[in-house]
């Protein structure tokens, strides 16, 4: 069934470019025509039949705006009109008489009465085709008595008839017929067998309605925030959930349209926060469009959709507007927060973007129009579209966009050492020495030497000809002081770090900004030499000019500088681990 709307053309006024609006889905204005008439979308085509009290029935191409065909004669008193799906029959009711035209606009039949047994039925007031047939359903009204008739145009034969009460507007689907009036919708099969009735919540509450060929029926009642959606093939249980198809509170429905495919439902209304609403029929989810707050729409604006909403027709205050729905393929159908947002470094901030999947299956990252929240702002908080890591801990990040919500759990963690600049890198190691007696993530002083897994290596003091044997773990050589094997303890006594192994060049100024003023400082003249090897291969030789010593609780931290005041290596040991006055640098 194609719903007939009161509104139409007095000729094509304008076809042009896009209306400059900002919304998630932009529906550009492509044409417009006059008011004060009626029109009906042609199923499966981007065309519309239009007529008014001063103009004959005409077929208009919605894309080009051209008038394709006209039916002869002025149709000044049209009470009903419909077109067969194959476009070969057009039926018009004028002054209670049914007129039938062929595809060329020639009248081929005129029916003023239909004989039912011994009764002559006259005064037809509405007509609709059963989809994909040449059978029409007629509504008659004689005084207070209303009848439904099923009539085969090809055979010129009455198929069935029945009474119906009260009088209303006809809607037809392949297997269903509905008669709608303000307080109820009476339902019948295609052969006019009564099936059920839908009563309005309040007397005269039904304000808008539509039904497509598949029997998807949509009804809007005054003051009800969402229209009711029924699939008549599965009884009268409403298909929508409580949060679907929500138009607004204290709403008054102007019109409702469901497209031929049943993909979209459009609503025009007053009393809500927007005059236009578009929904996905299967999900009940609102589609945010450029028409939602269009001030051109007037009270009681009618609406109609072509198949898949390729064209959307809405009455404005001065004209009826045609909008292209092609961009609906870009509407969002799902959202996801990128996995990268499951972790953020403490002290870091990251710009938030939402991964949006569109109806055409393309994905994009969206920043505008997204509402972000965290459940633990003391750990991570949102500011100016960025996620900030405040303190170590867990958080849940949520995003709301175009009616969708997505969440992800995350952690605020210490940043990776490798990502830090030199001074924060030194500060992290200093704190680890204070807390754990170890450079961060590396072997701990006094822990088991035997259990340490690493590559064998040594530090050779050329002046004393002493080898400090140990094991390499990353940039650290963990070793014990030289002594007879039988007296060698099973614990790490010395940690030696080489910044160059982490591609770092640490200056004297950077060391002092973190460790402060040294306890002692020794300058060597001449300089002393140290060599480092791994797996019996020497890979570094350093000439040391000065050694600065620091105290961290019971730890001794020594920094070894070359003549350019660049730190070549740093050692850490416990004061009790020293043997007399033995120093590795003396």
């Amino acid at each position: 069934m194609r719903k007939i709307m009161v509104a139409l053309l007095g000729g094509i006024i304008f076809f042009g470019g896009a209306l400059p609006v900002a919304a998630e889905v932009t529906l550009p204005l492509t044409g417009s025509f006059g008011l004060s008439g009626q029109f009906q979308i042609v199923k499966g085509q981007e065309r519309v039949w239009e007529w008014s009290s001063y103009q004959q029935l005409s077929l208009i191409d919605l894309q080009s705006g051209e008038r394709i065909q006209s039916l002869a004669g002025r149709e000044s008193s049209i009470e009903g009109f419909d077109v067969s799906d194959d476009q070969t029959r057009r039926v018009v009711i004028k002054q209670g008489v049914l007129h039938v035209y062929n595809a060329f606009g020639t009248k081929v039949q005129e029916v003023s009465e239909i004989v039912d047994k011994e009764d002559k039925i006259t005064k037809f007031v509405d007509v609709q085709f059963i989809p994909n047939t040449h059978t029409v359903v007629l509504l008659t009204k004689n005084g207070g008595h209303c009848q439904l008739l099923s009539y085969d145009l090809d055979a010129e034969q009455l198929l069935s008839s029945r009474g119906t009460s009260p009088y209303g507007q006809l809607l037809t689907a392949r297997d269903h017929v509905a008669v709608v009036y303000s307080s109820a919708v009476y339902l019948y099969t295609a052969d006019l067998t009564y099936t059920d009735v839908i009563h309005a919540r309040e007397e005269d509450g039904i304000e808008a309605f539509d039904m497509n060929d598949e029997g998807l029926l949509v009804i809007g009642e005054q003051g009800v925030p969402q229209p009711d959606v029924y699939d008549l093939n599965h009884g009268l249980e409403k298909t929508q959930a409580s949060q679907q198809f929500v138009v607004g509170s204290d709403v008054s429905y102007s019109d409702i349209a469901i497209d031929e495919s049943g993909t979209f439902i459009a609503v025009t209304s007053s009393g809500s926060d927007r005059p236009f609403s578009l929904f996905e029929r299967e999900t009940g989810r609102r589609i945010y469009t450029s028409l939602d707050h269009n001030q051109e729409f007037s009270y009681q604006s009618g609406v109609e959709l072509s198949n898949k909403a390729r064209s959307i027709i809405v009455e404005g205050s001065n004209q009826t507007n045609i909008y292209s729905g092609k961009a609906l393929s870009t509407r969002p159908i799902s959202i996801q927060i990128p996995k990268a947002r499951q972790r953020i470094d403490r002290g870091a901030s990251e710009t938030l973007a939402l991964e949006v999947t569109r109806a055409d299956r393309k994905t994009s990252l969206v920043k505008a129009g997204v509402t972000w929240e965290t459940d633990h702002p003391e750990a991570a908080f949102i500011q100016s579209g960025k996620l900030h890591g405040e303190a170590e801990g867990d958080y849940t990040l949520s995003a709301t966009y175009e009616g969708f919500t997505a969440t992800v759990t995350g952690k605020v963690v210490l940043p990776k050492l490798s990502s830090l600049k030199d001074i924060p890198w030194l500060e992290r190691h200093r704190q680890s020495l204070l807390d754990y007696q170890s450079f961060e993530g590396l072997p701990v002083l006094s822990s088991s030497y035997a259990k340490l897994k690493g590559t064998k290596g040594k530090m050779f003091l050329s002046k004393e000809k002493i080898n400090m044997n140990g094991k390499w773990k990353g940039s650290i050589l963990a070793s014990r002081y030289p002594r007879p094997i039988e007296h060698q303890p099973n614990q790490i006594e010395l940690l030696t770090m080489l910044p160059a192994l982490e591609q770092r060049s640490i200056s004297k100024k950077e060391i002092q900004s973190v460790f402060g003023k040294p306890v002692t400082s020794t300058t060597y003249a001449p300089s002393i030499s140290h060599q480092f090897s791994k797996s019996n291969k020497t890979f570094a030789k350093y000439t040391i000019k000065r050694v600065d010593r620091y105290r961290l609780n019971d730890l001794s931290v020594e920094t070894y500088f070359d003549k350019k005041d660049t730190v070549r290596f740093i050692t850490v040991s416990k004061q009790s681990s020293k043997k007399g006055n033995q120093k590795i640098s003396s």
Side-chain angles (χ1 to χ4, degrees), residues 85-150:
D85 290 342
D86 62 7
Q87 304 298 303
T88 64
R89 293 292 184 273
R90 290 87 188 265
V91 290
V92 181
I93 294 178
K94 299 186 301 176
Q95 298 178 344
V97 177
L98 176 67
H99 303 264
V100 184
Y101 299 85
N102 63 17
F104 303 100
T106 303
K107 185 187 291 188
V108 294
Q109 199 172 347
E110 184 174 308
V111 181
S112 60
E113 63 179 26
I114 296 176
V115 177
D116 182 13
K117 297 178 182 178
E118 295 181 357
D119 297 329
K120 292 182 179 180
I121 303 172
T122 60
K123 297 184 179 179
F124 309 121
V125 294
D126 200 2
V127 61
Q128 290 288 291
F129 276 98
I130 296 294
N132 298 317
T133 73
H134 285 177
T135 298
V136 294
V137 176
L138 291 156
L139 183 64
T140 71
K141 184 179 181 182
N142 288 281
H145 179 62
C146 298
Q147 278 186 287
L148 282 176
L149 308 177
S150 175

Side-chain angles (χ1 to χ4, degrees), residues 347-392:
S349 64
E350 298 177 0
T351 299
L352 290 168
L354 189 65
E355 187 176 290
V356 176
T357 300
R358 310 185 324 186
D360 58 9
R361 300 301 171 182
K362 294 181 180 179
T363 60
S364 60
L365 290 176
V366 174
K367 297 177 183 178
V370 185
T371 300
W372 297 94
E373 290 182 338
T374 62
D375 62 340
H376 289 294
E378 71 278 5
F381 64 92
I382 309 297
Q383 188 176 63
S384 301
K386 292 185 176 182
L387 177 66
H388 295 259
E390 179 71 7
E392 292 174 67

Side-chain angles (χ1 to χ4, degrees), residues 179-242:
V179 179
V180 185
Y181 82 112
S182 60
S183 295
V185 179
Y186 286 84
L187 301 172
Y188 307 89
T189 62
D191 63 3
L192 304 187
T193 302
Y194 173 81
T195 58
D196 217 325
V197 61
I198 301 171
H199 292 287
R201 295 170 176 83
E202 301 289 341
E203 189 72 19
D204 297 326
I206 296 176
E207 295 183 313
F209 48 87
D210 198 10
M211 184 168 70
N212 74 350
D213 288 356
E214 302 301 322
L216 295 170
L217 175 64
V218 189
I219 302 171
E221 293 189 41
Q222 183 177 14
V224 179
Q226 60 183 149
D228 296 324
V229 182
Y230 301 90
D231 184 346
L232 297 183
N233 299 304
H234 298 90
L236 295 186
E237 184 176 348
K238 298 171 187 176
T239 64
Q240 79 271 17
S242 60

Side-chain angles (χ1 to χ4, degrees), residues 4-157:
I4 298 177
M5 251 174 47
V6 176
L8 180 1
L9 281 171
I12 298 300
I13 296 174
F14 164 76
F15 273 80
L19 193 68
V21 294
E24 176 59 26
V25 178
T26 299
L27 305 177
L29 178 68
T30 57
S32 62
F33 48 83
L35 297 173
S36 302
Q38 296 178 323
F39 65 92
Q40 179 174 322
I41 293 287
V42 177
K43 188 171 72 173
Q45 301 181 34
E46 295 301 298
R47 294 177 176 180
V48 61
W49 280 97
E50 57 87 6
W51 67 97
S52 69
S53 60
Y54 52 84
Q55 188 173 337
Q56 61 190 4
L57 275 159
S58 298
L59 182 62
I60 305 297
D61 188 304
L62 290 173
Q63 295 179 326
S64 68
E66 295 180 359
R67 196 179 303 275
I68 300 172
Q69 188 180 33
S70 297
L71 292 183
R74 286 188 174 272
E75 312 299 346
S76 58
S77 59
I78 293 176
E79 297 167 289
F81 171 75
D82 201 9
V83 182
S84 63
D85 290 342
D86 62 7
Q87 304 298 303
T88 64
R89 293 292 184 273
R90 290 87 188 265
V91 290
V92 181
I93 294 178
K94 299 186 301 176
Q95 298 178 344
V97 177
L98 176 67
H99 303 264
V100 184
Y101 299 85
N102 63 17
F104 303 100
T106 303
K107 185 187 291 188
V108 294
Q109 199 172 347
E110 184 174 308
V111 181
S112 60
E113 63 179 26
I114 296 176
V115 177
D116 182 13
K117 297 178 182 178
E118 295 181 357
D119 297 329
K120 292 182 179 180
I121 303 172
T122 60
K123 297 184 179 179
F124 309 121
V125 294
D126 200 2
V127 61
Q128 290 288 291
F129 276 98
I130 296 294
N132 298 317
T133 73
H134 285 177
T135 298
V136 294
V137 176
L138 291 156
L139 183 64
T140 71
K141 184 179 181 182
N142 288 281
H145 179 62
C146 298
Q147 278 186 287
L148 282 176
L149 308 177
S150 175
Y151 185 78
D152 186 330
L153 294 178
D154 294 336
E156 299 185 14
Q157 178 181 356

Side-chain angles (χ1 to χ4, degrees), residues 371-414:
T371 300
W372 297 94
E373 290 182 338
T374 62
D375 62 340
H376 289 294
E378 71 278 5
F381 64 92
I382 309 297
Q383 188 176 63
S384 301
K386 292 185 176 182
L387 177 66
H388 295 259
E390 179 71 7
E392 292 174 67
D394 297 332
Y395 62 88
T396 297
L397 176 65
S398 65
T400 303
Y401 177 74
E402 305 288 325
F404 295 86
T405 298
T407 61
V408 69
T409 57
K411 286 182 177 291
V412 180
V413 297
L414 287 173

